[in-house]
Amino acid sequence: MRNWNIEIVNYHQCRWTNATVEGRHNRIKAFQRRHYFTRNRSRYKAGILIECNRHRMLG
């Protein structure tokens, strides 16, 4: 608790977290595991963008 005192106080003052970034990172890692042998680089990048923004496209 003493080592993380500043971070804990900052969280309670601002209520900002990096949960969105961590969630996207996990989605990208899962996509990479599913499509490991994709040869077309542009299709790979497009797939990552679709995977990370699927909720916006459906909404």
Side-chain angles (χ1 to χ4, degrees):
M1 293 292 283
R2 290 182 185 148
N3 291 340
W4 293 92
N5 188 25
I6 294 171
E7 288 81 1
I8 293 170
V9 170
N10 286 340
Y11 170 74
H12 287 289
Q13 288 176 348
C14 297
R15 295 286 180 173
W16 290 351
T17 65
N18 63 345
T20 305
V21 175
E22 291 295 327
R24 285 195 178 161
H25 185 252
N26 286 334
R27 284 185 180 196
I28 291 171
K29 286 175 71 173
F31 183 83
Q32 287 175 342
R33 284 192 296 269
R34 287 192 313 265
H35 300 279
Y36 182 72
F37 291 107
T38 303
R39 293 183 181 174
N40 189 344
R41 186 75 172 165
S42 62
R43 189 172 209 165
Y44 183 73
K45 287 182 180 181
I48 288 177
L49 289 174
I50 290 170
E51 182 73 24
C52 289
N53 296 313
R54 183 174 295 176
H55 68 282
R56 290 184 187 174
M57 294 187 309
L58 296 175

